[in-house]
Amino acid sequence: MFKPLSKIYLVILFLLITVFSHAQNNNIIISDSLTEKAEKYNFDRAKIKKFKFGEYRVIKAKGNWISSTSHATYKTYEENIDRNKFSFILINNSLDSAKVKALFTKISQYRKSGGFLLQALTGIESSNYEGLNNSSSFAATIVTTKDQKITWNLLMKETPDKDGKYHIQGSLSNGVQTIYIAQIGFGKVIVIKKRFVTQSPVRYEFIEHEQSLSALRIDWDFSTSLWFKPYLEPNLKLILAAAMTSITQTEFGFRFD
């Protein structure tokens, strides 16, 4: 079962502070060796129950469902919080498995103008909504059959840079070992109706000791590819595969620079 939401938020707050302070000091670009020598798997986006790539496949999946919603009105703005849960089990050819339980949280803040008073004064029905700050976070636990006493925590969150542009960063940690997750863009030119528009597919890099262990790339047609560093320990590789699979089931799997 999922831990109480309050406990999850406390864990997220503590670990994300550590993650982001580290990530801001390590602007790591993917090494060519990962793309040249890595094990690479491609698959098209499908329902989680049908996910299959390389030696891995998903079983016993329970898709996204809304676990709770809440609304709050403050002095200068209103806020909606939506929480979605999902779970699945990822197995490999050796029948080792990773059980994933996940929670995706989206916070939307907005300001409403017009409404009843304007209607009373003018007779015109009018309500305008001005979007303010929006943010999302993702928390998941991963436990494998190889070591059921150890829980890996996957945490991701949007953070703004100095220009106000949001980037997604996070970590995958068991309390002793920590792998940092960075969103890295890839430049790409797409022709749309004879106009050249520069776009970038989304890519998440899993980094430990300044070396890339794996990467997840999602293109504009939602075709997805995963890379693994050669000769990874099988259980760690399974954990990384489970983490990347879970990201594809969240809004973070549909974000582009």
Side-chain angles (χ1 to χ4, degrees):
M1 297 297 292
F2 283 91
K3 297 178 180 178
L5 291 176
S6 60
K7 292 184 178 180
I8 290 179
Y9 293 146
L10 287 174
V11 172
I12 292 175
L13 179 61
F14 175 77
L15 290 180
L16 286 178
I17 290 173
T18 303
V19 170
F20 300 145
S21 63
H22 180 279
Q24 289 172 356
N25 295 322
N26 291 275
N27 185 19
I28 303 170
I29 303 301
I30 182 171
S31 64
D32 292 336
S33 62
L34 181 62
T35 54
E36 291 173 359
K37 302 176 182 179
E39 296 179 46
K40 181 181 178 182
Y41 303 108
N42 297 318
F43 66 93
D44 293 323
R45 190 64 60 91
K47 291 184 178 180
I48 185 65
K49 294 180 180 180
K50 297 182 179 181
F51 263 39
K52 184 178 181 180
F53 53 93
E55 62 176 305
Y56 302 101
R57 62 187 176 92
V58 169
I59 62 172
K60 295 183 179 179
K62 190 172 183 181
N64 261 306
W65 76 94
I66 298 175
S67 62
S68 67
T69 60
S70 61
H71 176 83
T73 300
Y74 298 96
K75 187 175 181 179
T76 58
Y77 67 93
E78 298 187 54
E79 181 179 82
N80 291 330
I81 302 178
D82 299 312
R83 304 176 182 90
N84 290 62
K85 291 181 179 179
F86 63 91
S87 61
F88 63 90
I89 296 175
L90 185 71
I91 64 172
N92 59 20
N93 288 343
S94 301
L95 299 182
D96 297 321
S97 67
K99 182 181 291 186
V100 178
K101 296 181 179 180
L103 171 67
F104 186 82
T105 303
K106 184 172 183 177
I107 301 175
S108 303
Q109 296 176 344
Y110 61 93
R111 184 183 295 116
K112 182 179 178 182
S113 60
F116 175 77
L117 180 59
L118 182 62
Q119 181 180 347
L121 293 174
T122 66
I124 301 173
E125 291 187 34
S126 176
S127 292
N128 296 317
Y129 294 89
E130 177 189 358
L132 302 175
N133 297 319
N134 296 325
S135 62
S136 301
S137 61
F138 178 43
T141 59
I142 303 173
V143 179
T144 66
T145 49
K146 281 287 188 180
D147 200 339
Q148 299 183 39
K149 294 182 179 180
I150 294 179
T151 298
W152 286 80
N153 291 290
L154 171 63
L155 300 171
M156 300 182 71
K157 186 175 176 65
E158 294 175 300
T159 56
D161 60 19
K162 62 181 180 180
D163 297 321
K165 184 177 180 180
Y166 279 82
H167 298 275
I168 301 166
Q169 296 177 322
S171 69
L172 178 63
S173 177
N174 61 10
V176 176
Q177 182 179 3
T178 299
I179 300 166
Y180 293 93
I181 305 169
Q183 179 187 1
I184 299 173
F186 269 64
K188 181 179 181 181
V189 176
I190 298 176
V191 180
I192 302 177
K193 294 182 179 179
K194 298 183 179 181
R195 291 183 302 172
F196 287 89
V197 181
T198 301
Q199 306 288 4
S200 295
V202 69
R203 178 164 181 157
Y204 297 106
E205 197 101 9
F206 288 71
I207 300 161
E208 183 180 37
H209 304 311
E210 300 187 2
Q211 292 190 7
S212 183
L213 301 182
S214 63
L216 167 68
R217 172 172 165 149
I218 304 164
D219 284 280
W220 284 91
D221 60 358
F222 298 117
S223 59
T224 304
S225 52
L226 298 88
W227 284 268
F228 295 94
K229 181 181 177 181
Y231 311 114
L232 283 175
E233 191 276 321
N235 196 56
L236 177 59
K237 185 178 174 183
L238 175 61
I239 292 165
L240 291 167
M244 290 189 286
T245 298
S246 69
I247 293 172
T248 67
Q249 298 304 297
T250 73
E251 186 178 292
F252 293 163
F254 295 87
R255 291 288 184 88
F256 297 89
D257 291 345

